[in-house]
Amino acid sequence: MANARGSSRRVFLKTVVAAGATGTVAGAQVANAAAPAEHLDLPPPKPSALPPNAQVAAAEVGQVPNAPEESRKPGSDFMVDVMKSLNFDYLLTNPASSVRSFHESLINYGGNKMPEMLTCMHEESAIGMAHGYFKITGKPIPVLVHGTVGLQHATMGIFNAWCDRVPIIVIGGNHLDAATRPPGVPTFHAAQDPNAIIRDFTKWDDQPVSLNHFAQSMVRAYRIAMTPPYEPVAISLDAGLQEVPYPKGEKLQIPKYVASAPPQADAAALREAAKLLAEAENPVIIADRAARTLAGMRLVTELAETLQAPVIDQLGRLNIATNHYLNQSARGRALIAQADVILGLELSDFWGTVNGYIDNEDNHGHGLQERGTKPSAKLISISATELLSKSNFQDFQRFQPVDIGMAGDAEASLPLLIEYIKSALPAGKKDALSQRAERMKKAWAENRARSIAAAGIAWDAQPISTARLCAEIWNQIKGEDWSMVSRDSFHSSWPTRLWPFDKYYQFIGASGGYGVGYGAPAAVGAALANRAFGRFSLNIQSDGDLMYAPGVLWTAAHHKIPLLNVMHNNRGYHQEVMHVQRMSNRHDRVANLGGGSVPVGTGIENPNIDYARLASSLGMWSAGPITDPKDLAPALKRAVEVVKSGEPALVDVVCQPR
């Protein structure tokens, strides 16, 4: 493969640098700097240690003489072969010296295809993009990060993915051998065990010491990451292993990847659960991250229709269509209170689902707690979380006792559960199921009418209401094959209350770990995935989240990722506004506004950020700030046209707090 690429493929670090330490030489010297060493009266060629500048670059990227293939084929070429065997579409990175040989091999030896390298402005943004991409395609993207510092930047994104059960392949550069590593920056950024930083929120990691070890580790990492519960994995990639030529006579092998079957719940426990559900008078299904795929969404729907049982969708993923009559999410608390059997599917917080917590002070300075279910209610859980809980980070939430607990992947377990329920349903229950269905249809229609009526409140208000914003967006995208690539709750859940989400890719859920800075990168990653399918991607973007890493807008513009960003610009961290106000009330004080409109430390104002100009400066079409609701439709219509032409766009809308 390498021979076919010609003798001039490798051009880095192969020529003599004519410039001195100051970088000042005559023009003729610079012109000759890239010539083969045998034609110059100069010492043998050495890699440059000079700071990068135009003259050094000219010397180091010229034509190089032919060399025996075995003397110039680095380990990183084989690493690229391993990556290609796993069929990665893209690789995300902020470029760095600790992965320079791998970088060079990807673009020159690998042709920058499968994977194609995308340039990111921040490692956390790269992880967020991979996060969003997976939730559309079901395929992971590797993210290449630099040493310890790049990995530290990436940690929040990795934690989000851990909490959200999303597989990401993190590859971190390192200079492992202290006897050969370069001084200065490479040593500052090296570590004995760099993956220790993220080990508490990754599923598996390794630090290969040979090329065959790397091949085995990458295939193993992919397989572990893609076995539910999905989670991030990490490989520490030694710079020396990348750059050293293949050892003479070493036989290199790439293991074949074979996916593991997802773990299923115990059959006997599923049969017992099916009996309880089939005999229940008021069964309730609660789903969070149950549907991993389109097939999973169909299975949740079939389960609900078999029982004619209401579904409370907690929207970790889209588990059932929002316009299906059994989607009764809006009545969640009331349904839980009257249920006699509750089935939880991949719930991230079962305790919080079936118990109430009111953030008001009791006699001991804690929130008030109350049971949300009948004492006789039976609780059933199917979740893969118990297969991978760790002790340090508390993402497993408070402990909730259940009557039947099954450790297994919910989607993989549903076919057998549905079969058992159909067998267990009493012959005379057909009429009862029909009556239950009619009650659900009536309740769904009534809730829909209430939502439409509520959306009309403050329709012409300024700042613009979130309901008006979402309604105007819908009018512009309803004819498209659309995908909302942002979370729902930041804008009062108006999209899922008003729009018909009936395709799996139309909603991707939230961050998992609630780490601010996820939204914009995940939206760009999901839009990248949707681009291949010709879908229209929409991101309703919160202002504070974007300011964590606005450089991701440049990545979208540079790589021509079509995405409509609509800023939900309320000029404040309004969840924290409510917290400060609540604490002020509890302490019998008035919140200090400090000359602003919200308590000190919670506002994003004075000066107000002009997101349209920010986006424009990063190469993206933009409009706004929009303050009058009458101006919304024209601006959105123009932005939709831009996105349909294949470019990203941003419309800045000044909104009311959610």
Side-chain angles (χ1 to χ4, degrees):
M1 185 173 182
N3 287 330
R5 298 182 184 277
S7 62
S8 62
R9 183 180 65 77
R10 299 221 166 265
V11 294
F12 292 146
L13 305 178
K14 293 290 185 182
T15 54
V16 177
V17 177
T22 62
T24 57
V25 294
Q29 288 176 300
V30 174
N32 290 329
E38 59 265 28
H39 299 305
L40 299 173
D41 186 17
L42 293 171
K46 295 180 181 179
S48 171
L50 296 174
N53 57 38
Q55 294 166 342
V56 172
E60 293 196 350
V61 297
Q63 185 77 15
V64 298
N66 290 338
E69 179 65 19
E70 63 270 13
S71 71
R72 61 187 183 87
K73 188 174 176 62
S76 53
D77 280 8
F78 175 70
M79 294 175 181
V80 171
D81 290 335
V82 175
M83 302 295 283
K84 287 182 176 293
S85 77
L86 294 171
N87 295 314
F88 292 118
D89 296 317
Y90 300 99
L91 179 142
L92 308 172
T93 189
N94 183 263
S97 61
S98 62
V99 290
R100 63 185 184 177
S101 185
F102 191 40
H103 183 156
E104 189 273 338
S105 290
L106 283 164
I107 60 176
N108 289 331
Y109 175 72
N112 198 32
K113 293 180 180 178
M114 295 297 289
E116 176 186 349
M117 183 177 287
L118 272 63
T119 307
C120 301
M121 298 288 99
H122 194 285
E123 288 86 357
E124 186 175 342
S125 294
I127 298 291
M129 285 181 61
H131 193 155
Y133 184 90
F134 174 81
K135 290 202 282 188
I136 290 292
T137 63
K139 293 181 64 177
I141 296 184
V143 179
L144 195 59
V145 303
H146 169 52
T148 55
V149 293
L151 191 59
Q152 288 179 82
H153 278 306
T155 52
M156 183 64 250
I158 297 170
F159 180 72
N160 274 334
W162 166 267
C163 294
D164 200 28
R165 310 294 182 252
V166 168
I168 294 174
I169 316 292
V170 183
I171 304 174
N174 190 28
H175 288 84
L176 186 58
D177 189 345
T180 61
R181 73 167 70 115
V185 172
T187 298
F188 277 119
H189 294 175
Q192 293 180 11
D193 184 12
N195 290 333
I197 301 170
I198 56 172
R199 189 159 293 134
D200 274 331
F201 43 93
T202 49
K203 193 175 185 181
W204 184 81
D205 70 88
D206 200 9
Q207 186 163 222
V209 296
S210 70
L211 293 177
N212 277 323
H213 186 176
F214 172 81
Q216 293 179 22
S217 292
M218 277 301 303
V219 175
R220 188 190 304 273
Y222 193 100
R223 180 169 175 168
I224 290 173
M226 288 295 290
T227 302
Y230 296 153
E231 296 291 6
V233 294
I235 299 292
S236 179
L237 188 56
D238 179 46
L241 190 62
Q242 299 172 52
E243 298 180 25
V244 172
Y246 284 18
K248 210 166 190 179
E250 181 175 359
K251 187 175 182 181
L252 299 179
Q253 294 181 326
I254 303 174
K256 180 182 178 181
Y257 169 70
V258 178
S260 298
Q264 290 182 294
D266 176 72
L270 285 170
R271 193 183 297 276
E272 184 182 356
K275 186 174 185 296
L276 285 175
L277 288 163
E279 295 175 352
E281 294 297 321
N282 294 300
V284 172
I285 301 165
I286 308 173
D288 189 1
R289 295 187 180 90
R292 293 186 286 101
T293 63
L294 172 62
M297 189 174 170
R298 290 172 177 161
L299 286 168
V300 173
T301 304
E302 183 182 357
L303 171 67
E305 290 176 345
T306 300
L307 292 165
Q308 292 301 325
V311 176
I312 301 168
D313 193 345
Q314 295 184 336
L315 291 174
R317 303 292 184 272
L318 184 62
N319 294 291
I320 187 171
T322 60
N323 56 351
H324 193 290
Y325 68 93
L326 289 174
N327 186 328
Q328 298 283 326
S329 305
R331 298 199 300 135
R333 283 294 173 194
L335 290 170
I336 289 171
Q338 66 188 29
D340 52 359
V341 178
I342 295 174
L343 171 63
L345 300 175
E346 300 289 354
L347 301 190
S348 60
D349 186 2
F350 208 135
W351 187 95
T353 297
V354 297
N355 291 281
Y357 184 92
I358 303 172
D359 193 10
N360 288 323
E361 189 175 11
D362 63 12
N363 293 333
H364 305 287
H366 302 125
L368 300 173
Q369 304 174 25
E370 57 183 19
R371 184 185 176 105
T373 62
K374 298 189 296 186
S376 60
K378 300 295 185 182
L379 306 183
I380 304 169
S381 174
I382 306 176
S383 176
T385 297
E386 292 181 13
L387 299 173
L388 196 64
S389 290
K390 293 190 178 182
S391 58
N392 191 20
F393 293 94
Q394 305 292 294
D395 60 296
F396 45 76
Q397 299 290 321
R398 293 176 66 163
F399 183 77
Q400 176 58 51
V402 297
D403 296 282
I404 302 176
M406 290 169 273
D409 179 64
E411 181 174 317
S413 304
L414 284 182
L416 193 55
L417 177 63
I418 292 168
E419 179 184 330
Y420 287 160
I421 289 173
K422 289 177 178 178
S423 299
L425 280 171
K429 201 161 186 176
K430 185 176 180 180
D431 288 344
L433 294 180
S434 178
Q435 292 170 14
R436 188 186 295 165
E438 290 304 313
R439 292 197 303 272
M440 293 300 118
K441 291 175 182 177
K442 180 181 179 183
W444 188 92
E446 290 173 347
N447 182 69
R448 170 73 175 172
R450 283 192 296 270
S451 293
I452 292 173
I457 298 172
W459 186 254
D460 294 317
Q462 297 185 38
I464 297 168
S465 74
T466 51
R468 174 77 181 263
L469 172 66
C470 294
E472 295 285 5
I473 292 171
W474 174 246
N475 286 336
Q476 300 301 324
I477 70 167
K478 59 186 178 184
E480 309 296 332
D481 183 14
W482 57 273
S483 171
M484 191 176 86
V485 292
S486 53
R487 62 179 294 181
D488 188 49
S489 58
F490 272 148
H491 17 86
S492 302
S493 303
W494 282 114
T496 52
R497 290 167 69 181
L498 297 176
W499 306 355
F501 289 77
D502 55 10
K503 298 180 177 64
Y504 185 72
Y505 58 79
Q506 288 177 334
F507 185 75
I508 66 171
S511 66
Y514 298 92
V516 183
Y518 156 89
V524 173
L528 173 68
N530 280 325
R531 184 176 67 179
F533 300 99
R535 297 173 187 148
F536 187 95
S537 298
L538 162 72
N539 171 34
I540 305 178
Q541 176 63 46
S542 58
D543 47 0
D545 179 274
L546 178 63
M547 294 310 296
Y548 268 59
V552 75
L553 299 181
W554 178 89
T555 297
H558 177 73
H559 292 286
K560 298 187 182 303
I561 301 172
L563 168 65
L564 173 57
N565 299 282
V566 180
M567 291 302 301
H568 182 262
N569 180 5
N570 58 21
R571 295 174 176 167
Y573 294 102
H574 281 278
Q575 178 168 279
E576 284 62 42
V577 169
M578 292 183 285
H579 280 306
V580 173
Q581 289 174 338
R582 185 173 293 119
M583 291 299 101
S584 295
N585 292 339
R586 183 175 295 181
H587 302 153
D588 197 23
R589 293 195 283 253
V590 175
N592 182 355
L593 303 186
S597 62
V598 292
V600 170
T602 63
I604 309 175
E605 56 186 355
N606 301 323
N608 297 328
I609 299 171
D610 190 329
Y611 295 98
R613 291 177 64 186
L614 172 64
S616 178
S617 74
L618 296 169
M620 184 176 293
W621 183 95
S622 63
I626 307 295
T627 58
D628 190 327
K630 295 192 297 294
D631 297 330
L632 260 178
L636 290 170
K637 182 177 180 180
R638 177 69 184 107
V640 168
E641 292 171 355
V642 170
V643 175
K644 290 174 68 175
S645 75
E647 301 281 348
L650 181 144
V651 179
D652 183 10
V653 183
V654 180
C655 297
Q656 295 176 0
R658 60 186 175 94

